[in-house]
Amino acid sequence: MANERLRDALLRNGLTYEQVAKATGVDQKTVERWITKGRAPYPRHRNTIASMVKETETYLWPDAVAPERKAEITESEVVKLYPHRNSIPADLWDHLITNATRHVEVLVHAGIFLVERPTFMRDLANKAANGARIRLIFGDPASREVAKRSDEEQLGKGTLGSRIRNALAFYRPLVGVDGVEMRFHKTTLYNSIFRFDDEMVVNTHVYGFQAAHAPALHLRRLAAGDLFETYSESFEHVWNLSKPATF
């Protein structure tokens, strides 16, 4: 079976078989077989290609890394576990937001704590202007899912929907900005996801607790890891189910 993920990654990065062959020290026919026949390269070649296309080995070759090895690497992807999201230091958020240059991806219901940062909107606009891709997904304030979550978190009827609308007011300056995309989702939100290039904060959701009081993981992407990739793929699933946000 052809490796469509690898084929797509090469196309997205403008890489030819010849360039990959030169970087890995193999002939072009071998590179072609990696793609058209789905054959897995040696580990050293996988690492080189993953670096070239800015993807993880587990994304490009899901079955190439032994489960035991994946488990070991996954443990190293966890930088720190916080008992509550609101215990994450402000300087960590500063570090993540300031240093991101390629991707900023946010999946939340409202995420209103982000807009409490006075420069957050300006930071996103500047990053988009410099080539970063900004993707923001908010809960649909009119959806049944948001109404149900408002009840589950004991916020009161309609409270979460109002919070989302309040947060969206801050994002209006980003409407129409090249490189910034905003959508509404109606999914059951198991985790809020905040990705900044190869680092990520995952805020788990616990029944009966507001998100700020639930645990959070700080993750750093590793080439053959599986944890970061799992949450990244989850973001993609929600993104593909979402609709453009209306203001």
Side-chain angles (χ1 to χ4, degrees):
M1 182 181 296
N3 189 332
E4 296 300 339
R5 290 185 176 185
L6 179 56
R7 189 198 306 274
D8 177 71
L10 295 180
L11 288 172
R12 278 189 283 107
N13 288 276
L15 295 170
T16 65
Y17 289 2
E18 181 181 4
Q19 289 171 309
V20 176
K22 184 176 180 180
T24 56
V26 301
D27 59 57
Q28 292 186 48
K29 287 293 185 181
T30 298
V31 176
E32 184 178 352
R33 285 192 290 271
W34 290 342
I35 296 170
T36 61
K37 303 295 184 182
R39 296 181 181 175
Y42 289 124
R44 65 180 184 277
H45 295 151
R46 293 200 301 266
N47 184 264
T48 298
I49 297 169
S51 297
M52 292 175 72
V53 300
K54 303 177 182 66
E55 294 288 356
T56 64
E57 291 182 42
T58 47
Y59 171 77
L60 297 171
W61 302 280
D63 301 321
V65 181
E68 298 81 6
R69 178 60 179 150
K70 279 186 182 180
E72 292 176 1
I73 296 170
T74 293
E75 289 182 14
S76 297
E77 287 187 284
V78 180
V79 179
K80 190 165 183 176
L81 170 64
Y82 295 90
H84 314 289
R85 192 202 67 210
N86 62 8
S87 64
I88 297 176
D91 60 358
L92 175 58
W93 290 110
D94 290 341
H95 160 79
L96 295 173
I97 295 167
T98 300
N99 291 326
T101 59
R102 295 178 286 108
H103 301 283
V104 175
E105 297 174 345
V106 175
L107 169 60
V108 290
H109 274 133
I112 203 161
F113 75 97
L114 289 173
V115 302
E116 293 172 353
R117 295 173 49 82
T119 65
F120 187 57
M121 297 304 139
R122 185 167 68 248
D123 289 341
L124 292 183
N126 288 339
K127 290 179 186 303
N130 285 299
R133 186 182 186 189
I134 314 295
R135 295 194 292 173
L136 312 171
I137 318 177
F138 306 96
D140 185 337
S143 68
R144 290 178 297 176
E145 290 77 12
V146 164
K148 183 178 181 182
R149 180 56 65 88
S150 191
D151 291 338
E152 291 174 348
E153 293 187 0
Q154 302 175 29
L155 297 173
K157 185 176 181 179
T159 300
L160 182 54
S162 296
R163 283 188 180 179
I164 295 170
R165 292 185 182 94
N166 289 341
L168 290 172
F170 290 91
Y171 288 89
R172 288 185 185 277
L174 297 179
V175 174
V177 173
D178 288 342
V180 178
E181 301 172 85
M182 293 181 278
R183 293 188 178 186
F184 282 162
H185 72 88
K186 296 182 180 181
T187 62
T188 300
L189 192 62
Y190 300 106
N191 305 279
S192 293
I193 296 173
F194 309 88
R195 179 187 175 183
F196 306 92
D197 289 350
D198 292 331
E199 294 189 71
M200 179 186 292
V201 172
V202 177
N203 183 190
T204 66
H205 286 231
V206 179
Y207 188 91
F209 288 83
Q210 295 184 37
H213 302 147
L217 293 166
H218 176 199
L219 307 179
R220 184 168 293 153
R221 189 184 200 185
L222 297 178
D226 210 23
L227 190 57
F228 187 104
E229 198 62 45
T230 295
Y231 287 112
S232 183
E233 289 194 26
S234 178
F235 180 94
E236 290 296 334
H237 289 318
V238 179
W239 180 261
N240 292 332
L241 291 170
S242 302
K243 303 298 182 183
T246 54
F247 289 78

